[in-house]
């Protein structure tokens, strides 16, 4: 599908926080924890509260900092539900505590199986880096440049709750740290933790968790899967679904540079700089590069694609640096840009729950891509799948959707919902590696 067609398609297209006080005996036995600053006694926050700058953040990962009821007008079908915008504590790639925004939706429909309601941890596909692009804002109708409201609707109709992170960097004065794996995985898992702390909420600690995302969201979903055992071991994650995954950013950037979808590469460069501001970047830019950075920070998805279509990264630096030359540049501690980009690569040092791997995955994973994929190179999607298979992860793979990048997101949505529903029901699945 050509760029113009994509744009047209998109346009048409718990417990209570601070519940009952613990007994003195229980309090004495419990480990000490930091009380989050501004923990809500009720969901009465304003948008200014939700999207306030991420400053002086305290508390534990997943602590709820603010919440407000929301009407998700961009989820079609008028599905009966309760929904909230949320602001919660997470951890960035360097270990610092940060605030992240997101959305929690709980359907009125009965929970599947009749037990504790399961939750889908969801990361949206690329929306752009401007503050107005946050998924929580778009779901609530403040801006329309997103395309996955219907996907969330399928989960909700099936009785699943949704904890959808905006991702790191959609707060006032911030820039989204696009494709930074640890940030994405942490924010995704912490959204589930926060969903269970909404005052008067009904999601409980024994609820099962599924992880889902496509494109940028697919990268985040696999990072959430890889980090779950070490970062959020208390979550009962039973499955993850990830499609259109840019598993190797170097392979993806080389393919995108100078093409119709070069805007994704521009987002990645600015997003990585947002996470690693100590690395050489601003000083490299010529006037066109300085303007390009501002264009990335002010636009959402389709504006960014339109501005950068056909552009080459070499056009934006004083020395006309190629991607390989940028990767060779080093920061003050000797770390190169190439090393930082390689840290985001998926499928490295993974293994089953019983392994000694750094990233243990003890649940089934569904990976998929469209047969007509034209944005993320087949080579990197196939390589990520192969890495999971070689590591012994229970992996279901489907690459036969007769669709290109964007329409695969919609075309696979039913399979994703069914895959997670089966995991919540405890049905076995045989790897097709």
């Amino acid at each position: 599908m050509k760029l113009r067609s994509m744009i047209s398609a998109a346009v048409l297209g718990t417990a209570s926080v601070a519940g009952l006080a613990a007994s003195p005996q229980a309090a004495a036995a419990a480990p000490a924890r930091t009380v989050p600053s501004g923990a809500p006694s009720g969901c009465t926050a304003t948008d200014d509260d939700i999207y306030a700058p991420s400053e002086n953040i305290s508390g534990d990962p997943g602590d709820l900092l603010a919440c407000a009821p929301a009407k998700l007008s961009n989820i079609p079908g008028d599905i009966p539900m309760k929904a909230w915008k949320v602001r919660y504590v997470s951890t960035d790639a360097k270990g610092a505590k940060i605030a992240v925004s997101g959305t929690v939706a709980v359907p009125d429909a009965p929970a599947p199986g009749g037990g504790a309601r399961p939750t889908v941890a969801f990361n949206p596909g690329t929306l752009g880096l401007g503050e107005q692009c946050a998924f929580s804002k778009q779901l609530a109708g403040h801006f329309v440049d997103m395309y996955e409201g219907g996907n969330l609707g399928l989960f909700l109709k099936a009785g699943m709750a949704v904890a959808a992170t905006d991702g790191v960097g959609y707060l006032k004065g911030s820039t989204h740290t696009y494709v930074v794996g640890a940030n994405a995985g942490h924010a995704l898992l912490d959204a589930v933790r926060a969903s269970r702390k909404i005052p008067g909420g009904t999601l409980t600690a024994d609820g099962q968790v599924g992880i889902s995302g496509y494109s940028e969201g697919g990268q985040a979903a696999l990072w959430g899967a890889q980090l779950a055992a070490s970062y959020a071991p208390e979550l009962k994650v039973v499955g993850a679904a990830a499609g259109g995954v840019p598993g190797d950013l170097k392979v993806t950037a080389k393919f995108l540079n100078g093409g119709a979808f070069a805007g994704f590469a521009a987002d990645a460069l600015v997003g990585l700089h947002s996470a690693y501001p100590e690395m050489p970047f601003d000083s490299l830019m010529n006037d066109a590069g300085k303007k390009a950075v501002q264009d990335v920070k002010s636009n959402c998805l389709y504006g960014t694609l339109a501005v950068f279509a056909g552009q080459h990264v070499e056009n934006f630096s004083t020395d006309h640096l190629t991607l390989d030359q940028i990767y060779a540049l080093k920061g003050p501690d000797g770390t190169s840009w190439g090393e930082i980009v390689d840290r985001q690569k998926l499928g490295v040092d993974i293994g089953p729950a019983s392994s000694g791997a750094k990233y243990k995955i003890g649940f089934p994973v569904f990976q998929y891509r469209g047969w007509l994929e034209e944005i993320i190179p087949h080579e990197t999607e196939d390589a990520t799948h192969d890495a999971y298979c070689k590591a012994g992860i229970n992996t279901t793979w489907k690459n036969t959707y007769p669709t290109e990048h964007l329409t695969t997101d919609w075309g696979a949505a039913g399979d994703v919902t069914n895959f997670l529903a089966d995991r919540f029901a405890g049905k076995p699945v045989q790897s097709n590696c």
Side-chain angles (χ1 to χ4, degrees):
M1 181 183 291
K2 296 188 182 293
L3 177 62
R4 184 175 299 174
S5 301
M6 289 179 63
I7 296 173
S8 299
V11 170
L12 294 174
T14 236
S16 170
V17 138
L20 296 176
S23 68
Q25 294 82 3
R33 68 190 299 277
T34 304
V35 177
S37 58
S41 59
C43 277
T44 58
T46 65
D47 268 11
D48 285 343
D49 298 325
I50 298 291
Y51 304 108
S54 181
E55 298 173 348
N56 303 316
I57 304 303
S58 64
D60 293 330
D63 276 346
L64 189 66
L65 296 173
C67 56
K71 179 175 176 55
L72 307 184
S73 57
N74 278 331
I75 294 181
D78 198 23
I79 301 167
M81 71 177 89
K82 293 180 178 64
W84 301 264
K85 288 183 178 181
V86 293
R87 173 187 175 91
Y88 58 92
V89 179
S90 192
T91 311
D92 72 12
K94 297 176 181 177
K97 291 179 180 178
I98 55 173
V100 178
S101 54
T103 305
V104 174
V106 181
D108 292 351
R117 190 181 299 277
T119 300
V120 177
F122 185 82
N123 196 109
T126 301
L127 297 175
L129 273 60
E131 289 179 14
Q132 76 276 18
C133 313
F135 194 48
S136 58
K137 293 181 179 180
Q138 297 206 43
L139 285 173
H142 301 308
F143 183 83
V144 182
D145 197 18
M146 68 92 183
Y147 42 86
E148 293 181 299
N151 297 35
L152 298 193
L154 293 179
F155 297 140
L156 295 168
K157 288 176 182 177
M160 307 168 188
V162 173
T165 183
D166 288 341
V168 174
Y170 283 109
L171 305 182
K172 186 175 179 60
S174 301
T175 299
H176 177 42
T177 59
Y178 187 71
V179 297
V180 175
N183 283 6
H186 292 162
L188 189 57
L189 297 166
D190 286 329
V192 178
R193 288 166 158 164
S195 73
R196 296 167 174 182
K197 299 174 182 177
I198 293 173
T202 58
L203 301 179
T204 55
D206 56 338
Q208 295 178 320
V209 177
I211 299 173
S212 179
Y214 183 79
S215 194
E216 177 195 350
Q219 190 219 24
L222 288 188
W223 270 109
Q226 293 184 178
L227 290 165
S230 59
Y231 184 74
E234 82 283 5
L235 296 183
K236 297 180 179 179
V237 182
V238 297
V245 178
D248 187 327
L249 296 184
K250 286 183 177 177
V251 173
T252 306
K254 182 178 180 180
F255 180 81
L256 293 174
N257 191 32
F261 302 98
F264 292 118
D267 277 350
L269 289 168
V270 175
L272 284 161
H273 177 243
S274 179
Y276 298 93
E278 72 278 9
M279 295 295 292
F281 190 82
D282 290 335
S283 62
L284 308 175
M285 296 294 147
N286 58 23
D287 289 344
K290 294 173 183 176
K291 183 179 185 303
V293 171
Q294 293 308 310
D295 285 338
V296 166
K297 290 183 177 182
S298 61
N299 276 296
C300 291
L301 172 59
Y302 295 105
T304 301
L305 290 178
V307 168
F308 289 97
Q311 294 286 346
H312 291 79
V313 68
E314 294 87 343
N315 296 337
F316 299 117
S317 61
T318 302
D319 294 331
H320 304 288
L321 298 173
T322 65
L323 285 168
D324 286 339
Q325 289 172 325
I326 293 171
Y327 297 148
L329 297 174
K330 294 183 178 181
D333 67 352
T335 301
S336 72
W337 266 123
E339 290 172 309
I340 289 174
V341 173
D342 282 339
R343 290 175 193 170
Q344 320 313 320
K345 186 175 181 179
L346 286 159
V348 178
D349 203 0
I350 60 173
S354 59
S355 72
K358 179 178 181 180
Y359 303 118
K360 297 177 176 63
I361 304 174
F363 44 82
V365 173
F366 174 37
Q367 293 187 42
Y368 57 97
R369 68 165 172 84
W371 185 252
L372 303 175
E373 169 69 65
E374 83 286 30
I375 296 178
I376 308 301
H378 290 194
E379 294 88 343
T380 185
E381 298 195 63
D382 295 350
T384 301
H385 157 247
D386 290 342
Y388 270 63
C389 287
K390 289 176 182 177
I393 309 300
N394 183 334
T395 304
T396 299
W397 171 245
K398 186 172 180 178
N399 64 349
T400 55
Y401 296 99
T403 45
E404 50 70 72
H405 187 76
L406 179 62
T407 50
T408 300
D409 190 7
W410 304 325
D415 287 345
V416 169
T417 303
N418 291 337
F419 178 84
L420 294 179
D422 287 347
R423 306 291 74 75
F424 294 144
K427 295 181 180 180
V429 58
Q430 183 66 43
S431 174
N432 65 0
C433 287

